[in-house]
């Protein structure tokens, strides 16, 4: 087991040339001064750097996605490492937290994810339509033309609700096929509908089920229904879409920002993004095989007409395979990030802290044109005890996230 040593208490400037190091060490908005710990070649900086307090995030972020990070994380780095108008990129964008936050801060949003679902979740929120336009468009949908072609979905929906969902799905598939740029209002309605498909409150189309970012199989849902003695109720699909739209738009409009660039491909090869064009990358890849993105998103993909079995989502059981994927991604990022720009690469705790993914990332960057600056550990309610931050004690539930910071030289 590695040993850890508390080597210095901050704030103090150690001078990385750009002042970012000093600004991180001096940071104490939510916690105590930053603690610095050295483990082998890696400097860990520990503090509550960003808070998860919901009120701090714009309402446009309120769409669920498995293993998404809080908008406060990209906001922390965008504030310190970029100027308005500069490009901020996430190669594994998921629901699009980084590009949406970048746009809200007037930066150019660039995003990529192997699953085209991510573009459907992100693009509409970068240019949200007005609520009246959404309400008008919802009135144009032929709601009475839905058919039940997939009876197994009756585990989630009443026959009437499933007919409404099918009508909307058919209308959207016809009007906005995935290979064409859609009308922004249709695009918005699709994004909201995708987010209302399943969940555990009457605000969703389904009967009570798992949280909305985790669709169970129809068979598991039948078991949940039996256990809870529940039958899917009728839902007013149109009203639920409008209500969620109002909630997403409640914090006001999107900030003017440079045009977005969104892609659906592997992070390791993104030829559509120009070399040396990005100032900052804030990202979080899949953590080994912890999350089953294809299974969790099967119903969303069905609704959107995406064949999820054809999407090669990274799912690595072995550390070596995962590290190769990270290395290939960092190699591509070295091409895209301009000299002086940064990469903030976030990983979570896996295997009860037995595998420290940040070290695999650190080693994967060896020999690439990056300075490996440090690893930031976001520890909420930080106390000054050196072993409370989840690396040295390997305990369950410390639930810190770690962000490897690289600077392109
Ligand atoms: C941890 S999630 C990212 C969540 C994101 N930070 C957010 O806030 O929503 C990882 C994402 O990586 C995507 N992914 C998996 N393999 C990929 C690959 N080879 N290239 C690009 N994206 C990939 C998955 O589809 C998933 O959306």
């Amino acid at each position: 087991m590695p040993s850890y040593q508390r080597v210095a208490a901050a704030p103090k400037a150690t001078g990385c040339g750009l002042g970012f190091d000093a600004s991180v060490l001096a940071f104490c908005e939510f916690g105590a001064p930053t603690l610095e710990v050295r483990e082998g070649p890696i400097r860990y900086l520990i503090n509550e750097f960003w808070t998860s307090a919901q009120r701090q995030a714009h309402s446009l972020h309120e769409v669920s996605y498995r293993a998404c990070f809080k908008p406060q994380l990209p906001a922390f780095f965008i504030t310190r490492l970029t100027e308005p108008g500069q490009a901020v990129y996430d190669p594994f964008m998921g629901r699009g937290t980084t590009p949406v936050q970048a746009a809200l801060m007037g930066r150019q949003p660039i995003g990529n994810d192997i699953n085209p679902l991510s573009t459907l979740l992100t693009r509409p929120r970068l240019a949200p339509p007005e609520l009246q336009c959404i309400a008008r468009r919802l009135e144009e949908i032929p709601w009475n033309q839905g058919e039940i072609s997939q009876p197994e979905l009756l585990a989630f929906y009443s026959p009437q609700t499933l007919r409404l969902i099918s009508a909307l799905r058919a209308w959207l598939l016809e009007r906005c096929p995935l290979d064409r740029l859609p009308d922004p209002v249709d695009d918005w309605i699709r994004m909201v509908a995708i987010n209302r498909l399943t969940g555990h409150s009457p605000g969703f189309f389904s009967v009570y089920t798992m949280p909305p970012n985790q669709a169970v199989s129809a068979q598991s849902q039948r078991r949940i229904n039996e256990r809870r003695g529940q039958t899917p109720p009728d839902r007013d699909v149109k009203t639920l879409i409008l209500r969620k739209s109002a909630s997403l738009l409640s914090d006001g409009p999107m900030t003017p920002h440079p045009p977005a660039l969104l892609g659906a491909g592997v992070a390791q090869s993104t030829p559509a993004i120009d070399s040396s064009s990005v100032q900052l990358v804030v990202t979080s890849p899949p953590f080994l095989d912890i999350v089953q993105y294809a299974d969790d998103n099967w119903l969303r993909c069905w609704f959107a007409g995406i064949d999820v079995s054809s999407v090669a989502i990274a799912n690595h059981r072995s550390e070596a395979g995962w590290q190769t994927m990270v290395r290939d991604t960092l190699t591509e990022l070295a091409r895209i990030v301009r000299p002086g720009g940064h990469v903030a690469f976030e990983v979570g705790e896996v295997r009860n802290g037995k595998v420290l993914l940040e070290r695999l990332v650190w080693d994967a960057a060896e020999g690439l044109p990056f300075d490996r600056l440090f690893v930031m550990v976001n520890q909420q309610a930080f106390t000054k005890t050196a072993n409370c931050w989840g690396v040295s004690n390997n305990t369950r539930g410390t639930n810190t996230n770690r962000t490897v910071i690289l600077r392109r030289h």
Side-chain angles (χ1 to χ4, degrees):
M1 184 137 108
S3 67
Y4 293 84
Q5 202 188 4
R6 178 177 160 153
V7 294
K12 74 175 173 70
T14 54
C16 71
L18 296 177
F20 173 54
D21 202 348
S23 95
V24 168
L25 283 163
F27 184 80
C28 56
E29 194 174 341
F30 308 114
T34 300
L35 182 72
E36 181 176 344
V37 175
R38 198 171 279 275
E39 213 297 294
I42 306 182
R43 272 170 81 204
Y44 284 93
L45 305 181
I46 307 149
N47 204 342
E48 186 174 1
F49 292 106
W50 45 89
T51 169
S52 54
Q54 212 54 263
R55 66 187 157 74
Q56 298 226 343
H58 195 283
S59 57
L60 276 169
H61 282 293
E62 286 299 308
V63 306
S64 58
Y65 193 79
R66 197 73 202 282
C68 60
F69 47 48
K70 304 272 185 204
Q72 290 84 353
L73 187 158
F76 182 90
F77 295 107
I78 293 168
T79 303
R80 287 167 176 76
L81 294 171
T82 66
E83 299 294 330
Q86 291 183 326
V88 178
Y89 171 51
D90 187 346
F92 302 97
M93 70 176 165
R95 67 171 178 170
T97 317
T98 293
V100 170
Q101 186 60 33
L104 284 165
M105 296 172 80
R107 275 63 170 177
Q108 184 191 12
I110 306 187
N112 173 77
D113 196 287
I114 195 159
N115 193 340
L117 181 67
S118 288
T119 297
L120 306 189
L121 295 178
T122 306
R123 184 175 54 206
R125 290 179 293 135
L126 296 173
E130 302 216 340
L131 194 60
Q132 307 94 285
C133 302
I134 301 164
R136 269 202 304 274
R137 188 63 52 83
L138 285 168
E139 295 304 328
E140 293 169 18
I141 296 166
W143 293 105
N144 57 2
Q145 288 177 19
E147 285 170 13
I148 299 182
S149 55
Q150 249 146 316
E152 70 272 19
L153 295 182
L154 292 169
F156 298 93
Y157 309 111
S158 74
Q160 166 63 3
T161 308
L162 185 51
R163 272 192 285 272
L164 294 173
I165 293 171
S166 301
L168 175 61
R169 177 174 183 265
W171 184 81
L172 285 168
L173 289 178
E174 161 119 22
R175 281 174 67 103
C176 23
L178 294 176
D179 56 358
R180 262 196 271 137
L181 208 56
D183 172 277
V185 183
D186 295 352
D187 208 22
W188 176 274
I189 289 172
R190 175 169 55 191
M191 179 272 295
V192 177
I194 286 171
N195 277 282
R196 296 292 92 188
L197 284 174
T198 58
H200 41 5
S201 80
F204 295 93
F205 304 159
S206 71
V207 68
Y208 177 96
T209 179
M210 298 291 278
N213 53 17
Q214 239 175 309
V216 297
S217 67
Q219 198 187 10
S220 304
Q221 185 60 36
R222 280 194 292 275
R223 281 199 295 271
I224 294 174
N225 295 350
E226 273 166 33
R227 206 174 52 241
R228 295 174 58 91
Q230 63 183 19
T231 309
D234 287 347
R235 301 280 199 219
D236 184 344
V237 169
K238 187 169 62 176
T239 301
L240 292 182
I241 292 176
L242 197 58
R243 200 177 292 158
K244 179 63 181 174
S245 298
S247 161
L248 283 165
L249 297 171
S250 61
D251 280 348
M254 172 50 83
T255 315
H257 58 81
L261 179 60
L262 300 179
V266 291
Q268 300 90 316
S269 172
T270 50
I273 305 176
D274 288 342
S275 299
S276 303
S277 62
V278 163
Q279 189 64 30
L280 171 67
V281 171
V282 186
T283 194
S284 174
F287 306 153
L288 300 175
D289 57 354
I290 301 296
V291 173
Q292 303 306 315
Y293 291 97
D295 293 348
D296 288 344
N297 286 311
W298 74 270
L299 201 47
R300 292 174 164 197
C301 288
W302 164 78
F303 182 81
I306 296 168
D307 174 10
V308 77
S309 66
S310 68
V311 182
I313 297 174
N315 188 321
H316 294 280
R317 184 174 289 272
S318 84
E319 293 167 41
W322 188 82
Q323 198 177 30
T324 301
M325 184 271 290
V326 171
R327 167 88 183 177
D328 292 346
T329 302
L330 291 177
T331 303
E332 178 68 343
L333 295 182
R335 179 186 71 77
I336 291 169
V337 175
R338 63 168 61 125
H342 288 80
V343 175
F345 202 98
E346 192 255 358
V347 292
E349 279 189 22
V350 295
R351 315 255 199 266
N352 279 344
K354 288 196 187 81
V355 177
L356 297 172
L357 293 180
E358 73 274 15
R359 295 187 191 182
L360 300 181
V361 176
W362 190 271
D363 291 344
E366 170 91 48
L368 296 177
F370 287 114
D371 297 323
R372 291 174 283 180
L373 298 185
F374 38 77
V375 174
M376 292 169 67
V377 180
N378 199 48
Q379 170 74 62
Q380 286 181 30
F382 175 65
T383 75
K384 284 182 184 158
T385 319
N387 72 350
C388 77
W389 47 282
V391 173
S392 57
N393 61 0
N394 279 354
T395 52
R396 231 170 196 284
T398 40
N399 199 22
T400 57
N401 50 22
R402 300 107 201 279
T403 309
V404 180
I405 309 297
L406 309 172
R407 191 183 56 223
R408 179 76 166 85
H409 54 239

